[in-house]
Amino acid sequence: MAGKAVTKQPKKKKAAKKQQEENEDRWMPFPDYIPDDCILGLEWLHDTDFLKVEKSIKAKDWHFGGDESFYVMNRAGQLIYSVKEKTTCMKKLCTGPAREVHLIFSDNTGFTVMEIWKEANCDGILCLCCINEMEMETRDGTFLTRLRQAFNPVHDQYDLYDENGVRDLSIISKKFYLHRCNTENKLKIVSNAGDDIGYISKYWGPRYELKNADHEVLWMSFPRSLEVRVKAAIIGAAFCMHYIYMEVS
């Protein structure tokens, strides 16, 4: 006996399809113009001078840890990259914000665009053994930046270097200004000539209010004329600052 024909799509499949369509509408369309020498996967950064990051924390992971997810967005709120931190509950419980960090950036197709590595380290600023470093490269191994903390008794400073060891720019803040208890933190982006050319800023709402678990946490402003590699480096620096100074254990 022939089975009854299915005329209605299951509700779960409908909901999944609707969510997929909504996500596709949120992604930034591919730019109309990109330079010939633009690094693969960074085309979306060519014509932008402002980025923001939203951190998504599921309620079930609020106390028990697990992988963390972020979205990098443009000024209009369109998604550019999805970011996932590959970590474990044990690392988060034992070492907290000082843990080893591995971030994977993906585009709207799920293709890995770039990755960040930061070794486990404390945020001490008066001890040379606590100097923080971070490296960032594309999926195919193209070097993007190396961030290194500068030993400076006057202010907190992090320098971004290219593959030849030449400094691109610096991230600077007043000494002891950055603190996890502050509701807002702001760092200056400074050129090699000493000019302020942008900022990295973070703000969050009530810590234990789960309905505010999805919120903008990072803002980045910089000149539109910067090359895409340096813009990607600023994104990496923003995430690095998040883990060193701003994440709450």
Side-chain angles (χ1 to χ4, degrees):
M1 181 177 177
K4 186 177 180 181
V6 177
T7 58
K8 294 185 178 180
Q9 193 177 25
K11 291 183 178 180
K12 289 185 178 180
K13 289 186 177 181
K14 281 186 177 181
K17 185 177 179 181
K18 182 179 180 181
Q19 183 65 42
Q20 182 179 0
E21 291 175 351
E22 289 178 353
N23 289 339
E24 289 176 354
D25 292 339
R26 293 181 64 194
W27 285 91
M28 177 181 174
F30 195 79
D32 295 328
Y33 168 77
I34 55 173
D36 294 335
D37 60 348
C38 186
I39 300 174
L40 180 65
L42 304 187
E43 297 90 347
W44 291 270
L45 302 179
H46 169 64
D47 194 36
T48 184
D49 60 357
F50 179 87
L51 295 169
K52 63 181 179 179
V53 172
E54 288 189 358
K55 180 180 180 180
S56 177
I57 306 177
K58 296 179 181 179
K60 66 183 178 67
D61 294 332
W62 188 251
H63 295 291
F64 299 104
D67 290 351
E68 293 190 349
S69 299
F70 305 83
Y71 287 107
V72 179
M73 314 169 77
N74 62 13
R75 191 184 296 273
Q78 296 173 311
L79 305 184
I80 299 178
Y81 302 117
S82 63
V83 187
K84 180 173 283 285
E85 179 196 355
K86 304 301 292 183
T87 188
T88 63
C89 178
M90 186 61 65
K91 285 183 180 179
K92 296 181 74 173
L93 290 175
C94 294
T95 57
R99 65 186 178 276
E100 178 185 58
V101 174
H102 179 202
L103 295 173
I104 300 175
F105 292 72
S106 304
D107 61 16
N108 60 338
T109 66
F111 178 78
T112 298
V113 175
M114 50 192 177
E115 298 181 65
I116 289 176
W117 292 270
K118 177 186 171 297
E119 295 183 357
N121 209 341
C122 68
D123 57 3
I125 50 180
L126 298 178
C127 180
L128 289 175
C129 66
C130 296
I131 293 296
N132 283 281
E133 292 187 347
M134 175 272 290
E135 289 192 2
M136 188 176 189
E137 65 180 32
T138 64
R139 171 69 180 273
D140 61 4
T142 300
F143 182 90
L144 293 175
T145 192
R146 176 177 288 106
L147 178 145
R148 180 174 172 79
Q149 184 178 9
F151 185 76
N152 192 314
V154 179
H155 51 241
D156 291 329
Q157 178 174 332
Y158 292 81
D159 299 323
L160 293 169
Y161 297 91
D162 66 12
E163 59 183 337
N164 298 316
V166 178
R167 187 173 64 183
D168 289 315
L169 46 81
S170 299
I171 312 296
I172 294 177
S173 175
K174 296 177 182 178
K175 183 68 74 176
F176 305 118
Y177 169 73
L178 299 176
H179 195 277
R180 292 184 175 90
C181 294
N182 290 344
T183 56
E184 185 172 3
N185 286 301
K186 194 169 186 177
L187 305 94
K188 296 186 295 183
I189 301 175
V190 181
S191 69
N192 289 335
D195 300 322
D196 294 354
I197 60 172
Y199 64 84
I200 296 172
S201 179
K202 177 172 180 175
Y203 172 82
W204 59 86
R207 181 179 175 187
Y208 296 112
E209 192 171 343
L210 285 181
K211 67 181 181 181
N212 283 340
D214 291 345
H215 55 284
E216 293 117 23
V217 292
L218 292 170
W219 291 264
M220 291 155 274
S221 177
F222 41 77
R224 191 182 300 269
S225 59
L226 285 179
E227 61 175 301
V228 293
R229 180 188 63 79
V230 179
K231 293 179 182 180
I234 291 174
I235 297 175
F239 275 97
C240 194
M241 296 302 100
H242 162 72
Y243 286 105
I244 295 174
Y245 292 114
M246 304 170 187
E247 183 181 84
V248 180
S249 300

